[in-house]
Amino acid sequence: MNEIVDANFKLTSEGIHLIRNKFTYHLIEYHEVESAFLKEGRLARNWIIVLFFGGISLFLAIFLLFHLVNGVSIDEKTVRFYNLFGQGLIAVFVLIGVGIFSIYSALNIVPIIVVNSQGKIFQIRLLKSQKRKKEILEFLKTKGVKV
């Protein structure tokens, strides 16, 4: 096994590459790593804010849907009403989708590898390779990292 690649990190023989857009923005060499351990954590870093945003989106969707349904009871409807009604329904579906996605990502729990390196703490979330936790820890052990 030469390297392990995930969405936000890559383990190679050189060290732990923290990647963004498939390019390394920080390299942690194995001799710099003091310790590493595995813990569970939220997918979103500021999960309370994301959860609040999702709740607000769902509230706005329900509020807009309520006003759209009340607008149907008007007797004389113009073409503009039907345009606004259709666009309002699209907005409701978008708000519901954004709200559900935000709440899901705020409440989703993923494994996190916490790496202590020269007084700095890096929290690396396992996104694609959640089932390969043991393999990743074994790889780190073979490189001399205290796990």
Side-chain angles (χ1 to χ4, degrees):
M1 170 176 35
N2 293 338
E3 63 181 37
I4 298 173
V5 180
D6 197 48
N8 55 359
F9 74 95
K10 178 171 53 172
L11 299 176
T12 63
S13 59
E14 299 171 5
I16 303 170
H17 298 260
L18 302 178
I19 58 176
R20 211 179 278 148
N21 296 329
K22 299 182 183 178
F23 293 102
T24 301
Y25 70 91
H26 188 72
L27 173 67
I28 307 168
E29 295 180 5
Y30 292 119
H31 65 83
E32 296 175 351
V33 176
E34 297 166 5
S35 66
F37 61 92
L38 186 69
K39 73 173 192 173
E40 298 288 321
R42 303 279 180 186
L43 177 63
R45 290 184 193 263
N46 298 323
W47 67 274
I48 294 175
I49 295 171
V50 175
L51 183 67
F52 181 72
F53 177 73
I56 292 293
S57 295
L58 287 179
F59 174 75
L60 285 175
I62 292 170
F63 182 75
L64 183 60
L65 187 64
F66 173 75
H67 283 290
L68 286 174
V69 170
N70 281 344
V72 173
S73 65
I74 297 173
D75 292 335
E76 295 180 20
K77 296 176 184 73
T78 62
V79 173
R80 183 165 186 217
F81 169 78
Y82 291 113
N83 286 340
L84 288 175
F85 185 76
Q87 292 170 0
L89 284 178
I90 291 171
V92 166
F93 289 132
V94 168
L95 284 172
I96 287 174
V98 166
I100 289 173
F101 179 74
S102 298
I103 291 173
Y104 171 76
S105 64
L107 298 178
N108 192 10
I109 295 177
V110 296
I112 298 175
I113 297 176
V114 179
V115 177
N116 296 325
S117 172
Q118 298 176 344
K120 294 181 183 176
I121 298 174
F122 298 97
Q123 294 187 356
I124 303 171
R125 285 163 172 72
L126 299 176
L127 301 177
K128 293 181 183 175
S129 56
Q130 291 182 13
K131 295 178 179 163
R132 299 173 63 189
K133 291 186 286 192
K134 297 207 186 262
E135 185 179 337
I136 291 171
L137 292 177
E138 291 297 322
F139 185 82
L140 289 174
K141 283 181 187 177
T142 60
K143 296 299 180 180
V145 175
K146 184 178 132 185
V147 179

Coordinates of all heavy atoms in Angstrom, one line a residue, residues 1 48 62 74 79 83 91 96 114-115 118 121-122:
M1 N 0.9 -1.2 0.0 CA 0.0 0.0 0.0 C 0.9 1.2 0.0 O 1.6 1.5 1.0 CB -0.9 -0.1 1.2 CG -1.6 1.2 1.5 SD -2.8 1.1 2.9 CE -2.0 0.0 4.0
I48 N -23.6 23.9 14.7 CA -24.7 24.6 15.3 C -25.2 25.7 14.3 O -26.5 25.8 14.2 CB -24.3 25.2 16.7 CG1 -24.0 24.1 17.7 CG2 -25.4 26.1 17.2 CD1 -23.5 24.5 19.0
I62 N -42.0 26.7 4.8 CA -43.3 26.4 5.3 C -44.1 27.8 5.3 O -45.3 27.8 4.9 CB -43.3 25.8 6.7 CG1 -42.7 24.4 6.6 CG2 -44.7 25.8 7.4 CD1 -42.4 23.8 8.0
I74 N -58.1 33.4 -3.6 CA -58.5 34.7 -4.2 C -59.3 34.4 -5.5 O -58.9 33.5 -6.3 CB -57.3 35.6 -4.6 CG1 -56.5 35.9 -3.3 CG2 -57.7 36.8 -5.4 CD1 -55.2 36.7 -3.6
V79 N -52.6 36.6 -14.7 CA -51.5 35.8 -15.2 C -50.3 36.0 -14.3 O -49.5 35.1 -14.0 CB -51.1 36.3 -16.6 CG1 -49.8 35.6 -17.1 CG2 -52.3 35.9 -17.6
N83 N -47.7 33.3 -12.4 CA -46.2 33.3 -12.5 C -45.6 33.3 -11.1 O -44.6 32.6 -10.9 CB -45.8 34.6 -13.3 CG -46.0 34.5 -14.8 OD1 -46.2 33.4 -15.3 ND2 -46.1 35.6 -15.4
A91 N -39.3 28.1 -5.3 CA -38.5 28.6 -4.1 C -38.8 27.7 -2.9 O -37.9 27.4 -2.1 CB -38.9 30.0 -3.8
I96 N -36.7 23.8 0.9 CA -36.8 22.5 1.6 C -35.5 21.7 1.3 O -35.0 21.1 2.2 CB -38.1 21.8 1.1 CG1 -39.3 22.5 1.7 CG2 -38.0 20.3 1.5 CD1 -40.6 21.9 1.2
V114 N -7.3 12.9 14.8 CA -6.7 14.1 15.4 C -5.2 13.9 15.4 O -4.7 12.9 16.0 CB -7.2 14.3 16.8 CG1 -6.6 15.5 17.4 CG2 -8.7 14.5 16.8
V115 N -4.5 14.7 14.7 CA -3.0 14.6 14.6 C -2.4 15.8 15.4 O -2.7 17.0 15.1 CB -2.6 14.7 13.1 CG1 -1.1 14.7 13.0 CG2 -3.2 13.6 12.3
Q118 N 3.9 19.2 16.6 CA 4.7 20.4 17.0 C 3.8 21.4 17.6 O 3.8 22.6 17.3 CB 5.5 20.9 15.9 CG 6.5 20.0 15.4 CD 7.2 20.6 14.2 OE1 6.8 21.5 13.5 NE2 8.4 19.9 13.8
I121 N -2.7 21.2 16.3 CA -3.7 20.0 16.3 C -4.4 20.1 15.0 O -5.0 21.2 14.6 CB -4.7 20.1 17.5 CG1 -3.9 19.9 18.8 CG2 -5.7 19.0 17.3 CD1 -4.7 20.1 20.0
F122 N -4.4 19.1 14.2 CA -5.1 19.0 12.9 C -6.2 17.9 13.0 O -5.9 16.8 13.5 CB -4.1 18.6 11.8 CG -3.0 19.5 11.5 CD1 -1.8 19.3 12.1 CD2 -3.2 20.7 10.8 CE1 -0.7 20.2 11.9 CE2 -2.2 21.6 10.5 CZ -0.9 21.4 11.1

